[in-house]
């Protein structure tokens, strides 16, 4: 006699699978409907961030508050909270995992803090604590609600991952980390040696020390950007290398520039790439947008004496570094 297996209702299946992937029971998952995941993510992230910043304020001597602008308008506070929800939404609806979002947070939240440590005499340890809080407040809720992507656990799982040997290769990890760190350090160094000092003095009122812009040390910049290089590797290179190709990419689409319409021509030239190329382009553009917007918001709105033009100029340095890094990783990944 053959026993029939109990069937799980289709509406509960996705929640059950997600719970098992995170080590949770199906009963717990049933109490947490998928429609509540994102609101729960936002609320838990904001709550964790608030608790950690409250604890850290006891040991930071009010350094960040001393250079911050008082937010007296409701729209200023709502804008910052709303932007936090947008950052989480980008990660959630783009199917990122905890490592993706932690790396995105480090790369996009560093520029305003780097400005404070370089020119406002905020101690590096204070900036590191602030950055660590932002990373934890995004990684922990994401890790609890969503499992890691196969590319980020290729070294610890037997699941099939494209280019596993490259992803898990230590020399490749080291070289790509050093490459990204070098791109960031050279971009900042070149900006310091050319236009940035005058831009800072013109558009930032209340700078306490401008010497870092006049006497940059490239080896020191390179060493300080090693964590940035690793985060760029995890956000850009690892998922790109672990992405699968599309068999349709081998078929060259028919395109006649004589008879093609303007829309067809633009689509062919701007987006006629393979699936893997589109993947790295999309991630690079996302990182550029999030870095630029976050740096502008947390420079112009929260930093006392900062002008909008000054915030745009400062953010452009980091957006350029992201663009060059994404291009370099795309080229290396296709070699």
């Amino acid at each position: 006699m053959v026993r029939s297996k109990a069937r799980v209702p289709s509406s509960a299946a996705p929640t059950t699978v997600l719970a098992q992937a995170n080590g949770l029971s199906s009963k717990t998952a049933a109490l947490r409907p998928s429609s509540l995941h994102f609101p729960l993510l936002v609320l838990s992230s904001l709550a964790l961030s608030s608790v950690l910043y409250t604890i850290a304020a006891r040991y930071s001597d009010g350094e960040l508050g001393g250079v911050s602008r008082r937010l007296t308008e409701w729209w200023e506070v709502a804008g910052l909270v709303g932007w936090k929800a947008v950052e989480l939404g980008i990660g959630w609806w783009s199917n990122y995992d905890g490592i993706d979002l932690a790396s995105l947070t480090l790369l996009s939240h560093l520029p305003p803090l780097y400005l404070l440590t370089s020119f406002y005499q905020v101690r590096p340890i204070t900036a590191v604590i602030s950055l660590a809080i932002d990373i934890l407040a995004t990684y922990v809720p994401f890790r609890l609600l969503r499992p890691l992507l196969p590319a980020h656990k290729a070294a610890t799982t037997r699941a099939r991952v494209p280019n596993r040997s490259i992803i898990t290769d230590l020399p490749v990890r080291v070289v790509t980390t050093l490459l990204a760190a070098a791109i960031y350090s050279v971009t900042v160094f070149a900006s310091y040696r050319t236009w940035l000092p005058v831009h800072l003095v013109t558009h930032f009122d209340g700078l306490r020390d401008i010497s870092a812009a006049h006497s940059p040390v490239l080896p020191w910049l390179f060493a300080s950007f090693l964590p940035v290089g690793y985060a760029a590797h995890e956000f850009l290179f690892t998922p790109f290398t672990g992405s699968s190709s599309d068999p349709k990419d081998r078929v060259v689409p028919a395109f006649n520039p004589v008879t093609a319409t303007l829309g067809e021509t633009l689509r062919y030239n701007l987006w006629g790439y393979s699936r893997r190329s589109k993947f790295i382009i999309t991630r690079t553009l996302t990182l550029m947008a999030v870095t630029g917007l976050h740096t502008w918001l947390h420079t112009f709105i929260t930093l006392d004496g900062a002008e909008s033009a000054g915030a745009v100029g400062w953010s452009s340095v980091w957006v350029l570094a992201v663009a060059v890094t994404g291009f370099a990783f795309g080229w290396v990944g296709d070699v």
Side-chain angles (χ1 to χ4, degrees), residues 8 12 15-20 23-33:
V8 180
T15 306
T16 304
V17 172
L18 180 63
Q20 293 173 348
L24 301 175
S25 65
S26 58
K27 181 179 180 180
T28 303
L31 298 175
R32 195 186 62 195

Side-chain angles (χ1 to χ4, degrees), residues 11-326:
S11 60
T15 306
T16 304
V17 172
L18 180 63
Q20 293 173 348
N22 285 283
L24 301 175
S25 65
S26 58
K27 181 179 180 180
T28 303
L31 298 175
R32 195 186 62 195
S34 58
S35 60
L36 298 179
H37 284 176
F38 182 67
L40 179 62
L41 172 67
V42 175
L43 292 176
S44 59
S45 179
L46 291 173
L48 181 58
S49 177
S50 178
V51 170
L52 293 177
Y53 269 111
T54 300
I55 296 174
R58 302 177 182 179
Y59 308 98
S60 63
D61 297 328
E63 286 185 279
L64 295 179
V67 298
S68 299
R69 176 182 298 168
R70 293 185 178 275
L71 304 182
T72 57
E73 299 292 337
W74 68 268
W75 61 268
E76 295 175 326
V77 178
L80 293 178
V81 175
W83 172 246
K84 177 66 175 179
V86 169
E87 287 182 303
L88 294 171
I90 290 173
W92 185 259
W93 301 114
S94 298
N95 199 32
Y96 294 167
D97 62 9
I99 293 179
D100 282 329
L101 202 60
S103 301
L104 177 63
T105 301
L106 189 152
L107 294 167
S108 60
H109 289 212
L110 175 67
L113 295 172
Y114 195 87
L115 179 70
L116 297 180
T117 58
S118 299
F119 306 109
Y120 286 85
Q121 296 182 340
V122 172
R123 293 179 302 167
I125 185 62
T126 301
V128 169
I129 291 174
S130 178
L131 187 59
I133 290 174
D134 291 346
I135 292 173
L136 286 174
T138 54
Y139 175 78
V140 173
F142 240 79
R143 187 67 181 89
L144 293 175
L145 291 171
R146 176 173 289 172
L148 293 178
L149 296 176
H152 281 140
K153 55 181 180 179
T156 59
T157 182
R158 294 184 177 181
R160 296 184 62 182
V161 180
N163 302 313
R164 177 197 293 271
S165 60
I166 298 177
I167 295 175
T168 59
D169 188 72
L170 181 58
V172 171
R173 183 182 298 269
V174 171
V175 169
T176 50
T177 297
L178 295 177
L179 174 62
I183 292 173
Y184 270 81
S185 58
V186 170
T187 302
V188 173
F189 180 82
S191 300
Y192 281 163
R193 299 294 291 181
T194 52
W195 62 275
L196 194 54
V198 175
H199 181 84
L200 292 172
V201 173
T202 304
H203 297 288
F204 288 85
D205 184 20
L207 293 175
R208 299 178 181 179
D209 186 3
I210 196 66
S211 60
H214 288 294
S215 56
V217 181
L218 187 57
W220 168 245
L221 288 174
F222 176 76
S224 64
F225 284 129
L226 287 176
V228 174
Y230 184 77
H233 166 89
E234 289 295 332
F235 183 77
L236 294 174
F237 188 80
T238 296
F240 167 57
T241 306
S243 61
S244 58
S245 59
D246 190 343
K248 297 180 181 179
D249 294 336
R250 301 176 182 177
V251 180
V252 179
F255 177 76
N256 189 339
V258 178
T259 59
T261 64
L262 177 61
E264 292 172 341
T265 302
L266 290 175
R267 181 177 180 181
Y268 180 82
N269 288 281
L270 298 179
W271 203 237
Y273 302 103
S274 64
R275 175 191 289 180
R276 297 183 72 249
S277 296
K278 291 178 181 178
F279 184 93
I280 188 66
I281 291 173
T282 301
R283 284 233 170 185
T284 301
L285 292 176
T286 300
L287 182 54
M288 290 171 63
V290 174
T291 299
L293 288 173
H294 181 89
T295 302
W296 181 83
L297 279 172
H298 284 262
T299 301
F300 173 57
I301 293 182
T302 65
L303 184 58
D304 191 23
E307 299 178 4
S308 177
V312 170
W314 179 249
S315 63
S316 67
V317 176
W318 306 88
V319 171
L320 176 61
V322 172
V324 177
T325 302

